[in-house]
Amino acid sequence: MSALLQCLSHTPLVGFVDPEQSVLDEVSGVVATAREQIAEFDPELVILFAPDHYNGFFYDIMPPFCIGTRAYAIGDFGSAAGELSVPGDLAEAAIQFVMDAGVDVALSHKMQVDHGFAQPLEFLLGGLDRVPVIPVFINSVAVPLPPFERARLLGDALGRYAASLNKRVLIIGSGGLSHQPPVPELATANDHMKDRLLGSGRDLPADEREARTKRVIEAARRFTEDQNTLHPLNPEWDQWFLNLLGANRTSELDSVSNQEVSEKAGKSTHEVKAWVAAAAAMAAIGPYRESARYYRPIPEWIAGFGALSATTV
């Protein structure tokens, strides 16, 4: 049994509001290196932890965690669209394993996902269907949110499940570090937006999809000019988090409250729970060693943008 961990920020703004070319080249180099490492590892299975941004999961039923036995990417913000290659039997067995381990998780036979899932598969593997993937949703934007400890325990259970398969497993955590883009909130939304958040947004009309895309792009442009227009990025928090992850000390996050994360690093920073779950899965397989790391605050993408990879010792 061998495993490779790759955590990578995603951003819907790539190609729409980009930083200067030297930064783009830097990020492209990080992705290319990770992709080469993954190709050399030649994974037989991917376990992908990622959030959603009110494109597949809504308040009609909002689970803290969900594993898909089938999944379809909608292709928002120009990300890849289409079916993910999900091994349904392995995904169902994973769900049973996780529940037997004491972690409640929802099941979806028709999971709809967005760029949070599609972008890492596209960037790191070259497409949605190159390697069988078990998609694991972690609610990172819709309060009430799961605490860090539950995300870690979810990852720990899935890591032990992966270890039982005797396969080369690539574990991916996809999410931003500090950031808070303009995501609607149920408590303050108008009636139309509330209806969308309650489920009608699952099949968003094309004109609303376009308006939503433009709204985020415009917010990014304003944020690039003035970082007081949204919650500011927090490089210090991001580096602290990366140090914990790289040293396999994610359990220290168990005592960190969701409110503290929101206040210090932004309401969308909860996406790091995908990284925490991925690292916990890696640790459950065996001791790991950090092999590469990247970090840079990129206001054009409204994100503390990072990557971290690790290999089994």
Side-chain angles (χ1 to χ4, degrees):
M1 171 68 198
S2 60
L4 175 65
L5 172 68
Q6 181 63 59
C7 294
L8 179 68
S9 296
H10 59 250
T11 170
L13 290 159
V14 63
F16 293 100
V17 186
D18 283 331
E20 61 185 43
Q21 190 60 47
S22 61
V23 177
L24 277 179
D25 292 343
E26 197 175 87
V27 173
S28 295
V30 170
V31 171
T33 299
R35 198 164 167 168
E36 289 172 6
Q37 186 181 23
I38 290 168
E40 183 177 352
F41 179 68
D42 190 21
E44 299 172 281
L45 177 69
V46 176
I47 298 178
L48 170 57
F49 298 90
D52 177 69
H53 312 79
Y54 293 119
N55 287 305
F57 290 86
F58 296 84
Y59 272 112
D60 50 354
I61 299 178
M62 180 60 76
F65 311 122
C66 183
I67 295 175
T69 61
R70 291 188 64 184
Y72 176 84
I74 63 169
D76 62 323
F77 286 90
S79 59
E83 292 279 346
L84 279 63
S85 177
V86 182
D89 54 342
L90 292 182
E92 281 203 45
I95 294 164
Q96 188 63 62
F97 192 101
V98 169
M99 290 198 291
D100 290 346
V103 180
D104 294 331
V105 62
L107 171 154
S108 175
H109 288 309
K110 192 179 180 182
M111 184 186 282
Q112 182 164 297
V113 301
D114 63 12
H115 65 274
F117 284 82
Q119 207 170 75
L121 293 175
E122 191 175 5
F123 285 11
L124 298 175
L125 294 162
L128 301 175
D129 58 355
R130 304 303 168 86
V131 179
V133 55
I134 296 177
V136 185
F137 159 76
I138 295 181
N139 173 24
S140 304
V141 298
V143 293
L145 300 167
F148 274 103
E149 182 179 22
R150 299 303 290 174
R152 180 177 60 79
L153 293 174
L154 170 72
D156 175 75
L158 279 167
R160 285 185 281 125
Y161 170 71
S164 72
L165 299 177
N166 195 29
K167 292 178 178 290
R168 294 185 302 279
V169 179
L170 170 64
I171 303 168
I172 300 176
S174 168
L177 298 173
S178 62
H179 71 308
Q180 185 173 308
V183 176
E185 298 180 46
L186 188 64
T188 55
N190 61 30
D191 289 344
H192 176 77
M193 183 56 71
K194 282 183 179 177
D195 185 65
R196 293 297 187 228
L197 297 180
L198 287 166
S200 69
R202 190 169 283 109
D203 300 302
L204 204 61
D207 60 335
E208 283 193 46
R209 173 72 60 193
E210 183 178 357
R212 177 176 172 176
T213 301
K214 287 181 177 178
R215 188 166 58 247
V216 175
I217 290 171
E218 184 54 35
R221 288 174 175 155
R222 289 197 303 271
F223 187 63
T224 301
E225 296 171 356
D226 180 1
Q227 293 192 34
N228 292 312
T229 57
L230 296 169
H231 193 293
L233 307 181
N234 189 337
E236 183 178 353
W237 193 95
D238 293 340
Q239 296 285 11
W240 173 76
F241 172 78
L242 289 170
N243 287 337
L244 288 184
L245 200 80
N248 188 16
R249 291 163 48 202
T250 53
S251 61
E252 294 181 27
L253 290 159
D254 289 358
S255 60
V256 176
S257 71
N258 286 332
Q259 182 177 351
E260 181 181 347
V261 174
S262 295
E263 291 175 352
K264 287 187 175 179
K267 292 181 178 178
S268 292
T269 309
H270 298 281
E271 291 183 355
V272 297
K273 289 167 188 164
W275 293 43
V276 169
M282 185 72 176
I285 293 169
Y288 70 74
R289 178 171 50 236
E290 179 181 342
S291 57
R293 184 192 298 197
Y294 172 77
Y295 176 75
R296 176 184 284 277
I298 302 180
E300 290 84 353
W301 292 345
I302 320 180
F305 195 92
L308 188 147
S309 61
T311 56
T312 49
V313 176

